[in-house]
Amino acid sequence: MKILLLHSDYIEYEVKKKTKLAEPFEGKGERVDEALVVFISVEKGDTEDTALKAVEEITDVARKVNAEKVVLYPYAHLSSNLADPETAVKLLKFMEENLSSDFEVHRSPFGWYKAFKISCKGHPLSELSREIRGEDTEVTQALRDEEKAKSYWYILTPEKELVEVEKFDFSNHPNLKKFVDYEISKRRAVDRVPPHVELMKRLEIADYEDASDSGHMRYYPNGRLIKSLLETFVTEKCIEYGAMEVETPIMYDRAHPTLRKYLERFPARQYIIKGDKRDFFLRFAACFGQFLMTSQATITYRHLPLKMYELTRYSFRKEQRGELVGLRRLRAFTMPDMHTVVRDIEEAKEEFYNQYKLSVEVLREIGLEPEDYEVAIRITKDFYEENREFIHSIAEVLNKPILIEMWDRRFFYFVLKFEFNFVDALDKASALSTVQIDVENAERYGITYVDSDGREKHPLILHCSASGAIERVMYSLLEKEYMKAEEGRLPMLPVWLSPTQVRIIPIAERHLEKAMEIAEILRANRIRADVDDREETTGKKVRDAATQWIPYVVVIGDKELESGRLSVTVRKESTKERQKKVEMTVEELIEEVKKECEGRPYKPLPMPVLLSKRPSMR
């Protein structure tokens, strides 16, 4: 937004001719004496936040020059990057309203050719220009609606009883109580560093990148391996479920008529970037590309339900700074995003139910059990009343009470969504898996299918992320293990996600050759094994392996050379007080590790086998 502020003896204007963009106006014009006149160009990307900054600037100048009157005068000639007329008028009215509590405000009409005379006072503050810039982000109408939305909160019990949260007995559900308190209070900012931040650094998984924007992380080899395995696993699960994998752009034209309307319906803050001739927004999900692709496809009822999937590395949301912390909430994140085109609401409900169970399965195989998260359902009141039995059936799947947020009317593009929410060590909740039933976007994007009667119809669409953002899954696993350690148990990642699955420790140099031989056998069997050949004591090497959460630690000495059997410390069966040591052959070790990793993807060790060859990443 650009403004020119003139402290004037008077301004006098007369309307001459209206343009096709003109707002209604009665009269011929106006004269205002002793006023601060503000010529304004509303620009692309300007929001209410930008307008508030302009109001603050105008207020500051008006008080300095002792002006009691302010004239807001739309003036397109200050900028070549003008906002659309609807936005301009909305923000001008918004500024008028916010200034009116302190000043007598006059606003000349938008969209008219006008003649004006002005007499500017001749002091140092009488002529000032300002450029008001917000962040390169946009607050959507859906976000503003969400802030105003009136929610009604209930607990749906496994017995299919809907209970107001104030009347529900949480004594046997302390984690659900923490989640409910977090949701209703809407306190999203973090006032302490969550435990997983220290863990992600110490385990050399990830760290902040000071040279980038907040909420953009660096991933060390360990972190990249874990992240890649999770990405592969979730992608394979969605393809097995029947989805077609595609790839779409990460940026889109802000002025695209269809996309512009959808942006207003999605509760996310957007990154805005400038191209050669157009402004673009960075995607915050795969919806845009997949919907545009689907709108050009030839679809009949025989193809439905039609599933499309993309792993969006990366999606971008301009989250607020106070909410950014570690891997919990980021501005650049990896979202597995599946969309399902369905024939009607009955098919939508069937897919919703199946994808709910798919999400349970995906999280369980990753290492997050139903007791590790709480369920929320967001729903409109009319949809609940019309589909009460179906909603109740969802509560039966996990046989646990779930939180219901109900709205009197629909604010967004969906009528129903569920979320699985992980509650961390600071009692903050974060959404993982989600599925939504979208009743708007098929028509908005022109997506149609030919039904059995030969007629062209708009389908419904389901949005599904079977795991939620990959980074948030990593955060949940680390927070879970921290809380486990607080209870006196040994923390560890699932074996299939552990960067080093087997650590081999030779007691002396003469044992190194055998250690390397065993490591090569394990690696040939798709097991990530390394060898600690550093010039350290055996005790320190064992302690370091424990600090790094290595699932299996093998110590090689003279006894092992003679017997051909291995002494293996098994972490998941050990405690802080007692290590569980098992004698086994190499073949038995291979069998046990493979059993732990069955059905999960494999990737090789992304670092040198010998620890002496590795740099410290921090």
Side-chain angles (χ1 to χ4, degrees), residues 22 44 74 82 95 136 179 239 393 409 448 462 529 534 587:
K44 290 179 181 176
L82 296 173
M95 292 171 67
D136 287 337
F179 173 53
I239 291 173
S393 71
R409 62 185 181 88
T448 60
L462 278 79
R534 297 173 301 158
E587 291 73 20

Side-chain angles (χ1 to χ4, degrees), residues 522-558:
L522 294 173
R523 285 159 63 83
N525 281 274
R526 298 168 67 83
I527 293 172
R528 292 186 292 276
D530 60 23
V531 177
D532 191 345
D533 63 329
R534 297 173 301 158
E535 294 182 0
E536 301 284 358
T537 66
T538 300
K540 182 174 184 345
K541 292 178 181 180
V542 170
R543 289 193 297 273
D544 287 349
T547 301
Q548 295 167 29
W549 299 1
I550 307 297
Y552 298 92
V553 179
V554 179
V555 176
I556 301 291
D558 291 338

Side-chain angles (χ1 to χ4, degrees), residues 23 174 255 327 334 382 396 461 486 503 550-551 615:
E23 63 176 320
L327 297 168
T334 306
D382 58 349
E396 295 178 309
I461 302 173
E486 288 293 288
R503 168 74 48 83
I550 307 297

Side-chain angles (χ1 to χ4, degrees), residues 486-514:
E486 288 293 288
E487 297 171 356
R489 295 179 289 165
L490 288 181
M492 64 176 286
L493 292 171
V495 177
W496 72 281
L497 288 174
S498 297
T500 295
Q501 296 168 318
V502 179
R503 168 74 48 83
I504 305 170
I505 300 175
I507 292 177
E509 188 174 346
R510 66 181 179 274
H511 306 123
L512 179 58
E513 183 179 350
K514 184 63 175 179

Side-chain angles (χ1 to χ4, degrees), residues 109-312:
F110 181 89
W112 292 78
Y113 293 112
K114 299 183 286 285
F116 70 88
K117 295 178 183 179
I118 187 168
S119 173
C120 182
K121 295 181 181 290
H123 58 76
L125 294 179
S126 63
E127 299 180 51
L128 299 170
S129 64
R130 295 286 187 269
E131 182 174 0
I132 313 297
R133 294 180 61 84
E135 291 186 281
D136 287 337
T137 183
E138 180 167 324
V139 179
T140 65
Q141 185 60 46
L143 272 172
R144 291 190 287 269
D145 287 344
E146 186 176 39
E147 292 174 356
K148 301 174 185 175
K150 173 68 175 175
S151 295
Y152 301 90
W153 302 93
Y154 304 92
I155 300 297
L156 178 59
T157 71
E159 295 75 33
K160 303 180 181 180
E161 183 182 3
L162 197 65
V163 182
E164 295 177 15
V165 289
E166 297 85 0
K167 299 177 181 178
F168 184 76
D169 181 6
F170 287 98
S171 56
N172 294 322
H173 307 281
N175 211 50
L176 177 60
K177 181 65 166 68
K178 293 176 183 178
F179 173 53
V180 170
D181 290 344
Y182 175 81
E183 283 295 301
I184 294 178
S185 69
K186 297 188 182 295
R187 290 193 297 268
R188 302 300 187 242
V190 176
D191 53 8
R192 285 184 291 154
V193 178
H196 84 275
V197 173
E198 190 276 329
L199 292 175
M200 77 182 189
K201 293 179 180 181
R202 181 169 63 75
L203 296 171
E204 292 192 352
I205 291 172
D207 206 342
Y208 299 111
E209 178 51 78
D210 294 336
S212 183
D213 187 22
S214 299
H216 296 250
M217 306 293 286
R218 62 166 68 160
Y219 296 89
Y220 300 120
N222 285 342
R224 182 64 209 128
L225 173 70
I226 295 168
K227 194 163 179 282
S228 179
L229 286 167
L230 287 166
E231 291 167 356
T232 301
F233 172 72
V234 179
T235 297
E236 289 177 353
K237 294 295 288 188
C238 289
I239 291 173
E240 288 172 9
Y241 185 70
M244 304 179 293
E245 187 176 12
V246 299
E247 184 175 335
T248 60
I250 68 167
M251 68 174 70
Y252 294 89
D253 184 358
R254 286 186 71 207
H256 187 287
T258 302
L259 299 184
R260 181 72 187 177
K261 292 176 183 176
Y262 182 41
L263 290 181
E264 285 298 317
R265 302 297 287 154
F266 201 100
R269 293 172 174 83
Q270 301 133 26
Y271 269 100
I272 308 300
I273 60 174
K274 293 189 179 296
D276 293 337
K277 296 182 178 179
R278 294 178 289 173
D279 288 352
F280 296 87
F281 66 91
L282 297 180
R283 71 178 177 193
F284 42 80
C287 312
F288 313 101
Q290 289 187 25
F291 290 173
L292 291 169
M293 189 181 295
T294 305
S295 70
Q296 296 177 13
T298 302
I299 304 170
T300 74
Y301 68 97
R302 293 188 179 90
H303 302 130
L304 304 182
L306 177 68
K307 307 177 187 74
M308 195 173 287
Y309 169 84
E310 181 177 3
L311 181 75
T312 62

